[in-house]
């Protein structure tokens, strides 16, 4: 949460949404140290949204993993097209699929070793 507070101040951002791993489905079986970590948060800076999340405890950390870039679009075809282009030379870490927070979400590590999350915000729900 300290990082989110810093980004809010440094980027003059508004916190639109925040959830912890402990607030998600299946949270009862999680280690206590995981429950307070940020699973998904969205900060708005001007007209742009930035998604941030903590690495899940025990997940391996490597150079490139310290940054995750989340690309958000409102059309499934846009998400699928971008995801497929990144997948050609990259490594799919989480195939495109429906999740509890998005109708279409996936993760790819690109050929520069940077992790990209692709997130469909179908605009039927708001962050608040």
């Amino acid at each position: 949460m300290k990082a989110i507070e810093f980004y809010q101040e440094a980027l003059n951002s508004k916190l639109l949404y925040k959830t912890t791993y402990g607030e998600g489905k299946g949270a009862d079986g999680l280690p206590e140290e995981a429950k307070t970590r940020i699973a998904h948060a969205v900060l708005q800076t001007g007209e742009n949204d930035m998604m941030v999340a903590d690495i899940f405890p025990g997940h391996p950390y490597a150079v490139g993993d310290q940054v995750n870039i989340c690309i958000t679009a409102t059309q499934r075809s846009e998400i699928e097209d971008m995801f497929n282009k990144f997948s050609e030379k990259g490594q799919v870490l989480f195939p495109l699929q429906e999740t509890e927070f998005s109708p279409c979400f996936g993760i790819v590590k690109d050929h520069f070793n940077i992790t990209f999350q692709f997130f469909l915000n179908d605009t039927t729900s708001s962050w608040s």
Side-chain angles (χ1 to χ4, degrees):
M1 192 64 190
K2 288 181 182 180
I4 290 173
E5 291 168 356
F6 170 75
Y7 296 144
Q8 281 181 274
E9 183 178 335
L11 299 173
N12 193 27
S13 296
K14 178 182 176 184
L15 180 63
L16 300 179
Y17 178 83
K18 176 188 73 71
T19 187
T20 64
Y21 288 107
E23 295 168 326
K25 292 180 183 175
D28 293 340
L30 294 177
E32 287 302 314
E33 66 186 83
K35 291 181 180 181
T36 59
R37 293 195 183 186
I38 304 298
H40 189 84
V42 178
L43 295 165
Q44 183 179 47
T45 303
E47 295 182 23
N48 300 302
D49 293 345
M50 178 175 73
M51 187 281 246
V52 296
D54 288 322
I55 293 176
F56 192 80
H59 188 272
Y61 173 87
V63 173
D65 288 348
Q66 75 274 18
V67 174
N68 280 263
I69 299 170
C70 184
I71 306 295
T72 302
T74 58
Q75 300 295 317
R76 181 179 293 270
S77 59
E78 288 180 279
I79 291 294
E80 291 172 346
D81 185 51
M82 290 183 286
F83 185 89
N84 291 335
K85 287 177 183 175
F86 273 74
S87 298
E88 289 174 9
K89 294 183 181 179
Q91 176 189 6
V92 175
L93 303 177
F94 189 87
L96 282 178
Q97 59 188 275
E98 184 174 339
T99 65
E100 62 185 86
F101 54 84
S102 174
C104 186
F105 176 80
I107 305 173
V108 176
K109 184 175 286 193
D110 74 6
H111 58 289
F112 299 107
N113 208 35
I114 301 297
T115 302
F116 282 79
Q117 300 180 18
F118 295 89
F119 177 87
L120 175 64
N121 182 358
D122 66 3
T123 69
T124 60
S125 60
S126 66
W127 294 118
S128 53

